[in-house]
Amino acid sequence: MWTKIGLGAGLLVLAIITFGNSLGGPFQYDDLHSVQYNPHIRSLSWIPTYFVDPSTFSSQARGFMYRPLLLTTYAIDYALSGQSVAAFRLANVIVHVAASAAFGALAFVLLRCAKGAMIASCLFLLHPAHSEVVNYISARSDSLVAVLYLLACTAVLCRRHTSMVVAYTAGLLVKSVAITLPAMLPMLRGWEPGRRDSDLRGKARTRWGIALVGAVSVLYFLILWRSRFLSHSADMFPRAMSLEIWTQLKALVYYVFLLASPIRLSVDHAFQVGVVTDTTVLLCLAVILSCVVLSLRHRLSLPGFSAIWFGVCMLPYSVLPLNVLVAERRMYLASAGALLLATWAWQQLAARRGRGMSWIGIALLVCCLALTVQRNQVWSSSLALWSDASMKNPVSARSRVNLALAYREQGDLGNARIQLDEGLRLDPGFAEGWVVAGDLARDAGQQDEARLAYERAAQIQPTMEGVFHNLGNLSYGQGQFTEAITHYEEALRINARFAEARNNLGQALEAVGDDESALA
C-alpha cells in the first residue's frame, strides 16, 4: 500500500513540475460557454438536474450534452474556488495524474512488471499529446472518462466484476465513449494474466457482471433517447455519415502519427474531409484492415491487445457529429493502447540490451517533459494559442477568426480586422466569423455594418441565440424598441435560460409602456 501511495505522490510531483507553467492560462474557446458563463455550475443544488437535463451542459442552447458527472466536478470546483481558472486547471492536473496511475495499474496487470508499469505511467503523464487535456478545461471529459474506463478494464482482468460495473456506469455519465467497454469485454476475458474462472461460482459472477453491463448500456441509451440528446445530435450532424467514416479512417492513422511524433500539435490541424476515391483514404484503409487482421490473429498477445484497444476506443468518433475533424484530446483514452505497446517494446529491448535501454527510456521521458512544457506555453494565452494554430494551418477560417478575437481582447483592433477579413475570405459561410465582424463594427460605432453582419450570421446559423440578442441590443440602442422586443424574444425562444436577454426584454417592454409584461 505504501508503495502505491509513494508512486502516486511521485506522479503528482512530476505533474506539478511538468504542468506548473499551465496554471496561469485562461479559459479557452468552449470553456467560455461550458464553464465560465455556464450558470448551471454555480450552485451545487443544480447537480440532480444534470442527470435529467442535457441543456445544463452549457450557457448556449447548442451546447446539448449528457455528461452529468463531468458537470458535477465543475460545480464542485466552482463551489470551492469560484471562477479561478488556476483551480479548474489544477483539478485537470489531478485527474490526469489519476489517469496515469490507472494506466500504470492496467500495465502492471498485463506486463506483470512493476518497472514497466512505472515507465508506462510516466510516459502517459508526460506525453505532449496529452497536454490538451490539462490546459483545456473542457477536455476533462476525456481524462475523467479515461480514469474510469481504465479502472473498469483493470477490474475485469482482476475478476472484480462489481467494481467494473460501477466504474463503467460512472464513465458513461462522463462521456459516451465509455460505451465501447462492452466491445472490449471478449478480449479482456480472453486475456489471462492471472487465474482463470475455473470454478462455477467465478463463472456465475462473470456472467452476472456481463449481464449488468448490458443492462446499464440499455438504460443509458434509453436516457439519451428520453432526454432528446440522440435526436439533437442527429440534427447537429455537420456532414454525411459516409464522409464522416472515410474522414475518421484517415484520422485514425493521423492520430498514430501524432503519438509517434508529437511535434506538430495544434488545436486546429490542417486536415481535410476524406472521400472514398482519395488515394490517402484508400491507403489508410489498407493499413487499417491489415492491422485489424493481424490484431485479431494475435489478440492474446500484447501487441494485438494494444492495437485492438486503440481501434475500439476510437470507434465512436466515426459515427459522432464532429465539427472539428481532428482533436488531440479524442485520442487520450485510445493512446493507452499505443503507449502500452511502446512500453512493451521498450521492455523487450531492455531484456536484450540491458541497462543501456534504461538510459534511453529516461532520455525519451525527459524529451516528452520538455515538449509538454513547451506546449503549455502555447496554451498560456488565446493570442499564443491561435497564433500557433494559424501558423500551422494558415488556410483555416476557424483559426483566423479566433485569432481575431484574441487580438480584440488585447485591444489591437487593426490586427483583429486583418485576421477576421482573411478568415471570412477563406470561409464566407462561417457564422461565428460574422458575429465577430458585427462586434468589431459595433466597437467602431458602425451600427449599420454591425447589423448587416449579425443578420448574415443569423441567416447562416439561425440557432445562435447570441446573434439575436446582439440585434436586439442594436435596435434598443437606436430607439427601435418594438424591433428589439422581437429579437430578444427570438433569443429566448432558442434559449429560455438566457438571463441577460430576458432582462433586456423587460427593459424594452417597459420602454413601450407594457409594464406588466416587463415585470413578468
Side-chain angles (χ1 to χ4, degrees), residues 67-232:
R67 297 177 180 176
L69 201 56
L70 174 67
L71 282 178
T72 299
T73 69
Y74 290 159
I76 292 172
D77 284 351
Y78 188 89
L80 293 175
S81 58
Q83 286 191 340
S84 169
V85 189
F88 275 91
R89 193 159 285 116
L90 181 59
N92 275 25
V93 172
I94 293 171
V95 175
H96 181 44
V97 170
S100 302
F103 177 58
L106 179 68
F108 177 75
V109 173
L110 293 170
L111 299 173
R112 311 306 294 174
C113 173
K115 188 176 182 180
M118 183 179 66
I119 293 292
S121 290
C122 292
L123 182 58
F124 195 90
L125 180 74
L126 299 175
H127 199 286
H130 293 168
S131 59
E132 185 168 308
V133 301
V134 172
N135 290 283
Y136 182 34
I137 307 299
S138 296
R140 186 183 301 177
S141 59
D142 295 277
S143 55
L144 187 56
V145 75
V147 173
L148 297 164
Y149 196 100
L150 289 163
L151 290 176
C153 291
T154 304
V156 173
L157 292 170
C158 295
R159 306 301 187 263
R160 296 176 180 173
H161 302 103
T162 302
S163 299
M164 178 263 292
V165 174
V166 171
Y168 173 59
T169 303
L172 290 174
L173 299 177
V174 174
K175 193 172 183 179
S176 55
V177 70
I179 199 67
T180 59
L181 182 67
M184 295 284 289
L185 286 179
M187 182 181 65
L188 291 167
R189 288 188 64 210
W191 185 269
E192 296 288 353
R195 67 184 185 279
R196 295 178 180 270
D197 284 335
S198 57
D199 60 292
L200 293 176
R201 188 176 180 182
K203 291 180 179 179
R205 286 178 177 175
T206 299
R207 287 195 295 268
W208 179 244
I210 293 173
L212 280 177
V213 165
V216 168
S217 302
V218 172
L219 179 61
Y220 178 69
F221 276 113
L222 287 174
I223 291 172
L224 295 186
W225 176 66
R226 290 296 301 272
S227 64
R228 297 182 296 108
F229 174 77
L230 291 177
S231 59
H232 179 83

Side-chain angles (χ1 to χ4, degrees), residues 48-70:
T49 311
Y50 302 157
F51 291 83
V52 294
D53 187 358
S55 68
T56 56
F57 181 76
S58 171
S59 62
Q60 298 178 355
R62 292 176 298 150
F64 203 78
M65 293 282 186
Y66 187 73
R67 297 177 180 176
L69 201 56
L70 174 67

Side-chain angles (χ1 to χ4, degrees), residues 236-274:
M236 296 293 290
F237 215 94
R239 63 191 65 85
M241 179 69 75
S242 59
L243 290 178
E244 185 68 21
I245 291 172
W246 298 124
T247 300
Q248 292 308 312
L249 278 176
K250 186 170 64 167
L252 199 63
V253 177
Y254 185 68
Y255 283 128
V256 175
F257 168 75
L258 287 178
L259 284 169
S261 180
I263 58 174
R264 293 284 295 175
L265 301 177
S266 174
V267 292
D268 194 3
H269 290 268
F271 197 84
Q272 304 299 320
V273 173

Side-chain angles (χ1 to χ4, degrees), residues 446-468:
Q446 301 168 344
Q447 304 297 321
D448 292 339
E449 288 81 354
R451 182 183 297 277
L452 289 173
Y454 290 142
E455 288 175 347
R456 179 77 176 270
Q459 290 173 357
I460 296 170
Q461 194 165 333
T463 59
M464 297 198 317
E465 65 270 29
V467 173
F468 293 101

Side-chain angles (χ1 to χ4, degrees), residues 1 155 277 369 403 414 427 471 501:
M1 178 179 176
T277 54
L369 188 153
L403 184 55
D427 184 3
L471 285 168

